[in-house]
Amino acid sequence: MLPLAGITVVALEQAVAAPFATRQLGDLGARVIKIERPGAGDFARSYDETVHGLSSHFVWLNRNKESVALDLKDDRDGGDRAVLGALLERADVFVQNLAPGAADRLGLAAEALRARHPRLIVCNISGYGTSGPYRSKKAYDLLVQCEAGVVSVTGSEEEPAKAGIPVADIAAGMYAYSGVLSALYERERTGQGSSFDVAMLDALGEWMGFPYFYATYGGTPPRRNGARHAAISPYGPYTAGDGAVVFIGVQNEREWAALCERVLRRPGLAADPRFARNSLRVRHDAELSELIEAALADLPAADVVASLDEAGIANARMRTMAEFAEHPQLAARGRWAEVGSPAGPLRTLLPPVEVPGREPRLDPVPAAGEHTAAVRAELGFDT
């Protein structure tokens, strides 16, 4: 049995952050009931049509869920608001990431919910938190990346860039997920529910610890330098003799010496005063990169990778999405499976947490409102 079997999560969610959190809970066996707008549903459904007519974001984030379409403005007796109230009576967890103030206007403030349902765990996800001058400001991933400083340290020297995946949403979703797990554990000991807030700015800000400390106490912000590292060298892409690029990551002086002796075949380079310790190598990174690429100029990338592996030096080849989809390590470990969807079966990665002897849960991605009638009937409402 999966660890969260028997736990019911009601999610008033949209876009990425909350759906990412609740999908993790569903992967662990929780029953996740996703509340969507009648007709259109979660607006992430219409981001694109790349997955046989479905949105890539929605497919990624919404397996293992039931979709219930409710008009939360319908406050008649027996109306959709009453259906939501009945769901919350049975729920263990309520997760929401509506626009600022929307949950309060619907009577779904954490204090009110906890007063009615003492064992309920309430998780509110927002862009900037529930107080302060930004509390009512709309927040999307790119914008929070800007406010948290991610864009200022990402990209090339000539041009800043955002991260290529929605890191603000993912960060908030992961802290919401871990917060729910902690709250469930606390409830097991105390018998009482709880409420907590996760702000995207705070979550991504936590991930910005290195550049914050580097800039605050070092006097200058980390340099934007593409795929290289602002504080470690050699660390990044280097061109081999056949023109292919190999990524190298050196973490300590032992590895640096091994790189010089066993891969570059220049053992004296390790003692060069310009490169004698990491901070000096960072200062002279451009010179060091030229020397490394000169030493690799007669070797094809495959030989460089083999030499690095033999020397115990971390390395990688940059893969496209197509190459990632056929990654030999994932294939060898059987990490791909199929999940159902309104467009038919889709190839997907298994959940990251592997537990020996426990089959992963891969229930289908739901159509908008697919489970409305069944859930209403379960709760005793007319369908």
Side-chain angles (χ1 to χ4, degrees):
M1 180 180 293
L2 291 168
L4 294 186
I7 296 296
T8 297
V9 178
V10 174
L12 200 51
E13 62 181 20
Q14 54 196 3
V16 176
F20 188 75
T22 57
R23 200 215 77 191
Q24 314 304 314
L25 298 170
D27 286 352
L28 292 181
R31 181 187 186 188
V32 179
I33 299 175
K34 179 184 181 78
I35 308 302
E36 300 196 65
R37 297 172 296 163
D42 181 343
F43 58 73
R45 286 183 179 273
S46 59
Y47 278 173
D48 59 62
E49 301 85 29
T50 59
V51 187
H52 302 317
L54 304 178
S55 161
S56 53
H57 278 80
F58 194 86
V59 167
W60 166 43
L61 297 166
N62 288 286
R63 68 179 181 228
N64 295 332
K65 298 182 184 181
E66 299 169 48
S67 172
V68 175
L70 297 179
D71 177 3
L72 298 184
K73 295 180 180 178
D74 177 9
D75 56 3
R76 300 169 299 160
D77 288 345
D80 284 0
R81 285 277 286 276
V83 174
L84 177 60
L87 281 172
L88 292 172
E89 285 281 352
R90 302 185 180 196
D92 298 282
V93 179
F94 175 62
V95 178
Q96 70 86 18
N97 70 329
L98 300 182
D104 290 0
R105 291 192 294 272
L106 291 169
L108 299 173
E111 298 80 6
L113 288 175
R114 293 270 295 108
R116 295 195 295 270
H117 314 293
R119 285 180 54 81
L120 185 66
I121 292 162
V122 180
C123 169
N124 296 313
I125 303 175
S126 64
Y128 297 107
T130 58
S131 61
Y134 278 37
R135 65 185 179 277
S136 299
K137 192 177 180 73
K138 283 190 175 181
Y140 300 124
D141 184 84
L142 166 63
L143 311 180
V144 178
Q145 286 194 41
C146 290
E147 294 287 352
V150 173
V151 175
S152 76
V153 299
T154 305
S156 66
E157 291 185 14
E158 295 76 25
E159 186 176 7
K162 73 176 186 67
I165 58 174
V167 290
D169 282 311
I170 293 170
M174 287 305 296
Y175 286 115
Y177 166 55
S178 62
V180 168
L181 296 180
S182 298
L184 285 168
Y185 178 72
E186 182 182 39
R187 193 180 70 174
E188 283 296 302
R189 292 184 291 120
T190 67
Q192 293 294 308
S194 58
S195 64
F196 65 94
D197 300 312
V198 176
M200 293 167 66
L201 179 65
D202 299 346
L204 193 56
E206 168 64 19
W207 289 14
M208 291 294 288
F210 145 64
Y212 159 74
F213 283 110
Y214 187 101
T216 300
Y217 294 97
T220 58
R223 293 179 296 116
R224 290 195 307 270
N225 48 6
R228 298 196 186 277
H229 200 289
I232 303 174
S233 179
Y235 195 110
Y238 301 90
T239 303
D242 57 2
V245 175
V246 176
F247 285 70
I248 299 173
V250 168
Q251 291 286 302
N252 54 56
E253 300 310 309
R254 179 189 60 77
E255 292 181 355
W256 165 237
L259 177 71
C260 294
E261 180 176 353
R262 300 177 60 183
V263 179
L264 305 181
R265 308 298 182 186
R266 293 191 57 180
L269 197 61
D272 188 305
R274 295 170 296 174
F275 313 128
R277 62 178 185 273
N278 180 66
S279 60
L280 293 172
R281 293 194 292 274
V282 171
R283 188 181 307 170
H284 298 285
D285 183 71
E287 299 165 67
L288 179 56
S289 296
E290 289 182 7
L291 291 170
I292 291 174
E293 293 191 337
L296 302 181
D298 295 328
L299 297 173
D303 289 354
V304 174
V305 169
S307 295
L308 290 165
D309 286 341
E310 291 171 7
I313 306 297
N315 66 86
R317 298 290 300 274
M318 185 175 73
R319 295 180 184 269
T320 65
M321 284 296 94
E323 290 170 330
F324 169 74
E326 302 302 325
H327 200 294
Q329 181 69 1
L330 295 173
R333 293 169 52 233
R335 295 297 299 155
W336 294 99
E338 283 192 347
V339 64
S341 80
L346 303 171
R347 185 171 182 256
T348 189
L349 276 171
L350 293 170
V353 177
E354 287 188 276
V355 180
R358 182 177 288 163
E359 287 296 315
R361 181 186 180 194
L362 285 175
D363 290 355
V365 177
E370 177 180 345
H371 302 90
T372 305
V375 169
R376 288 181 68 95
E378 177 185 339
L379 296 171
F381 289 83
D382 293 336
T383 59

